[in-house]
Amino acid sequence: MIFTENKSIAEILETLGAEKNIFLLACNGCAEVCETGGESALLGMKAELEKAGKNVTGTALVDFLCNKVLVATRLAREMDKLKQADSMLVMTCGVGVQAVSRIVDIVVHPAANTVSLGGLQGLWPSDERCQACGDCALDYTGGICPVTSCAKELLNGPCGGAEDGKCEVDPERDCGWLKIYERLEKIGRLENLKKVYKPRDHSKMLPSQDLRKTSFYDLEQ
Amino acid sequence: MTKLKEALMAGRFVVTSEIGPPKGVNIDEYIDHAQAIKERVTAFNVTDLQSAVMRFGSLATCRLLIERGMEPVLQMTCRDRNRLALQSDLLSAYGLGIENILCLTGDHQKLGDHQGAKGVFDLDSVQLLVAAKKLQEGKDLAGNELEGAPEFFLGAVVTPEAEPLEPHIIKMEKKIAAGAQFFQTQAVYDAQKFKEFIKQTSRFNVAIMGGIVILKSVGMARFMNANVAGVNVPEELIEELKKDKEKTKSGQTGVEIAIRTINEIKDYCQGIHLMPLGWEDKLPAILDGAGL
């Protein structure tokens, strides 16, 4: 069970910026339980976006967005609507957003912050994708997490340590920021790198009281 | 205003050098080395636990330089301190008379001699510049008012031979936006590549000082090529080091290469930053040879 909290509508609209045509994709797994995904949250978000003057080109609900096979198969039916979209707003955890960004070549925006992994990392079989930092930056980095892909968790671009695209810590490890650079270039968002990104708010890593009342924490008692 | 700031702002060609404090308390001989060349150098950088190796501190060494009549550049990395400690050390530095600050990310702890240490990286180099600039404006990073604001001359680093270069140029631009007024570069060996870098960054209108590391041996050149990111000693230079073993061992080959590099790049930058790595006694010959 992965715990997520909605980003504010103001923050989401700010990250969408001038993008008018949005495809909405929501997770029906853990995010449904946290009310950051699921059908009612999806419809709520659609209404909010339309109220703000956006055009929702299509919506899809997938049981587990961290399962790339499910995502790829489901989105194959939505190609037309995806092509009309300037970007995609993804209502799920950090693992799910990264899974989606590996499948589509358009900009993905996270609609939530991931605050606790609650003992499970998502169905995507990897334990290094999301650290539940509570302050999701995937929007700005093209769907590749700088917190987990950079050994120094840098937020403002590569350090001087990468050699031939590999990290100074381990010559087998890709430089996360080079991956982010290549991804942003591919989706036409290199200007994202010019933003001076603020220091992380580490206090957001603590799950809220509301989340701590959910079944997972009860079961742990 | 610091001498470094005054000289760079006036458009003069500036020479800086560097001290890497020892592992232990025998700092005096390092200060003596600096003293011996102080007339030829505007300021001395003091590295901050370089290569993630635990050593005598940068802040204390900077103060010792001031007491001996030299001007320091305090290097600050983000590896070992969180945002509270970094800001506090910036205030302390100003209180000790240190105003030139070079902001860096810092090598990863895994490269050093305490590999199991927890790396902090609470801020990155860009955010550290933002923090220093805010302190100058009388506020801390959280927006709280200060009782008295410091004044700094802020610098940063860039790797002119990085591949690909574009993300580093974008980051350099961010460092300028965040408050960097001068840059010292990673060691330059390929003047052509350096000139290309200068061409791409001339629109930034900021003082750039080319980094010079004296080549001591073939082994050192090969080591840097394999292990130091963004440093590329071309094969011709390695051949030159190989040719006359005695001359290389005495340092003469390294000195000649450094002079040649400086002469090739000096019309394209606003100064040079010499990193002698123990060969301080070679600096006068290099500066003489380059007419500086």
Side-chain angles (χ1 to χ4, degrees):
Chain A
M1 168 82 194
I2 296 181
F3 293 92
T4 44
E5 286 177 333
N6 283 310
K7 283 183 183 282
S8 71
I9 285 295
E11 185 183 345
I12 289 170
L13 290 175
E14 195 191 322
T15 63
L16 294 178
E19 294 157 7
K20 177 129 174 62
N21 303 303
I22 315 293
F23 188 95
L24 254 183
L25 178 64
C27 180
N28 208 26
C30 314
E32 199 273 337
V33 181
C34 297
E35 298 178 316
T36 54
E39 190 172 15
S40 82
L42 178 70
L43 294 174
M45 183 63 77
K46 183 168 185 280
E48 287 282 2
L49 291 183
E50 284 167 351
K51 201 170 87 187
K54 303 290 184 191
N55 171 37
V56 176
T57 67
T59 64
L61 190 63
V62 175
D63 268 3
F64 291 99
L65 282 185
C66 49
N67 182 325
K68 285 191 282 182
V69 179
L70 284 182
V71 177
T73 313
R74 179 66 183 84
L75 288 182
R77 302 210 303 265
E78 309 288 345
M79 287 319 281
D80 288 348
K81 290 170 183 168
L82 270 172
K83 277 185 191 144
Q84 292 160 23
D86 301 315
S87 68
M88 194 183 230
L89 183 62
V90 190
M91 304 173 67
T92 184
C93 67
V95 181
V97 175
Q98 291 177 78
V100 172
S101 81
R102 290 286 286 267
I103 288 161
V104 296
D105 273 343
I106 64 171
V107 178
V108 293
H109 299 281
N113 288 324
T114 305
V115 289
S116 170
L117 298 175
L120 183 75
Q121 308 279 351
L123 290 179
W124 192 2
S126 167
D127 57 359
E128 291 173 341
R129 302 290 180 189
C130 182
Q131 255 185 31
C133 75
D135 205 1
C136 194
L138 286 168
D139 170 69
Y140 144 80
T141 55
I144 297 172
C145 177
V147 176
T148 54
S149 71
C150 171
K152 299 176 185 172
E153 303 182 14
L154 301 181
L155 293 176
N156 277 299
C159 71
E163 184 83 42
D164 297 330
K166 300 294 177 185
C167 179
E168 70 179 25
V169 170
D170 176 0
E172 300 291 306
R173 178 178 171 157
D174 288 330
C175 167
W177 272 101
L178 188 64
K179 293 270 168 213
I180 291 168
Y181 163 72
E182 288 166 353
R183 168 80 182 163
L184 289 175
E185 193 173 41
K186 189 172 176 186
I187 61 174
R189 289 300 168 96
L190 218 44
E191 79 271 8
N192 281 16
L193 278 187
K194 293 187 178 159
K195 179 184 164 190
V196 174
Y197 204 82
K198 63 187 188 309
R200 252 172 72 186
D201 181 349
H202 286 87
S203 69
K204 288 186 173 177
M205 287 183 89
L206 301 170
S208 66
Q209 259 324 307
D210 282 352
L211 279 180
R212 296 185 69 85
K213 283 178 190 147
T214 59
S215 56
F216 176 78
Y217 285 93
D218 284 343
L219 286 171
E220 289 272 288
Q221 295 295 315
Chain B
M1 193 192 293
T2 67
K3 284 192 286 179
L4 181 64
K5 180 175 183 179
E6 199 185 346
L8 287 174
M9 293 292 137
R12 291 204 293 277
F13 194 85
V14 174
V15 177
T16 53
S17 185
E18 185 165 295
I19 298 179
K23 190 176 193 69
V25 295
N26 296 343
I27 187 73
D28 289 352
E29 61 178 285
Y30 291 76
I31 306 281
D32 292 343
H33 284 152
Q35 188 104 26
I37 54 162
K38 77 171 187 185
E39 303 306 329
R40 320 235 12 207
V41 165
T42 301
F44 291 90
N45 285 36
V46 182
T47 53
D48 178 17
L49 276 54
Q50 70 271 26
S51 312
V53 169
M54 194 289 297
R55 298 162 191 274
F56 196 89
S58 179
L59 194 59
T61 309
C62 285
R63 178 62 204 174
L64 293 173
L65 284 174
I66 291 176
E67 288 171 5
R68 297 276 287 273
M70 288 169 271
E71 181 168 303
V73 178
L74 175 72
Q75 295 199 181
M76 286 189 90
T77 74
C78 299
R79 178 190 55 244
D80 308 313
R81 286 160 289 190
N82 70 5
R83 66 192 78 175
L84 280 87
L86 286 168
Q87 292 180 93
S88 173
D89 279 359
L90 282 168
L91 296 180
S92 302
Y94 181 75
L96 293 171
I98 302 155
E99 296 183 28
N100 300 316
I101 312 282
L102 191 80
C103 299
L104 311 98
T105 300
D107 292 324
H108 195 277
Q109 61 278 7
K110 189 119 190 283
L111 273 53
D113 67 350
H114 287 62
Q115 297 193 357
K118 183 179 194 307
V120 180
F121 302 111
D122 182 29
L123 301 184
D124 59 33
S125 53
V126 175
Q127 293 160 348
L128 177 58
L129 285 160
V130 169
K133 194 174 170 198
K134 274 201 158 180
L135 294 177
Q136 294 192 83
E137 290 160 2
K139 296 231 165 113
D140 68 14
L141 256 189
N144 303 301
E145 296 276 344
L146 302 181
E147 277 180 50
E151 273 177 46
F152 295 125
F153 184 47
L154 299 174
V157 297
V158 63
T159 309
E161 296 181 21
E163 298 270 356
L165 185 58
E166 189 182 22
H168 292 272
I169 290 186
I170 293 172
K171 192 165 183 181
M172 183 181 175
E173 199 172 2
K174 282 208 280 201
K175 287 178 175 179
I176 296 166
Q181 293 171 279
F182 71 97
F183 282 81
Q184 291 172 327
T185 77
Q186 180 59 281
V188 178
Y189 292 106
D190 187 331
Q192 221 37 54
K193 273 193 183 166
F194 184 78
K195 288 177 196 169
E196 182 52 37
F197 162 79
I198 292 294
K199 208 166 110 190
Q200 287 192 44
T201 55
S202 58
R203 66 197 151 96
F204 296 158
N205 210 11
V206 67
I208 297 173
M209 305 177 69
I212 300 290
V213 172
I214 314 166
L215 289 172
K216 295 180 181 176
S217 64
V218 174
M220 176 200 185
R222 295 226 186 277
F223 178 85
M224 288 200 297
N225 280 352
N227 298 298
V228 183
V231 174
N232 252 311
V233 184
E235 213 40 56
E236 308 91 88
L237 294 186
I238 294 179
E239 286 305 318
E240 191 175 336
L241 289 165
K242 269 186 193 165
K243 220 162 45 190
D244 188 336
K245 285 203 175 76
E246 282 311 307
K247 193 175 154 197
T248 296
K249 209 173 162 195
S250 71
Q252 188 51 35
T253 316
V255 167
E256 284 173 10
I257 292 171
I259 291 170
R260 219 164 52 223
T261 310
I262 295 171
N263 282 331
E264 278 182 77
I265 67 171
K266 71 179 178 189
D267 292 336
Y268 296 84
C269 55
Q270 245 216 284
I272 49 160
H273 176 59
L274 299 161
M275 295 169 265
L277 308 175
W279 274 16
E280 285 80 4
D281 57 327
K282 308 282 187 282
L283 297 189
I286 292 174
L287 294 172
D288 288 342
L292 296 170

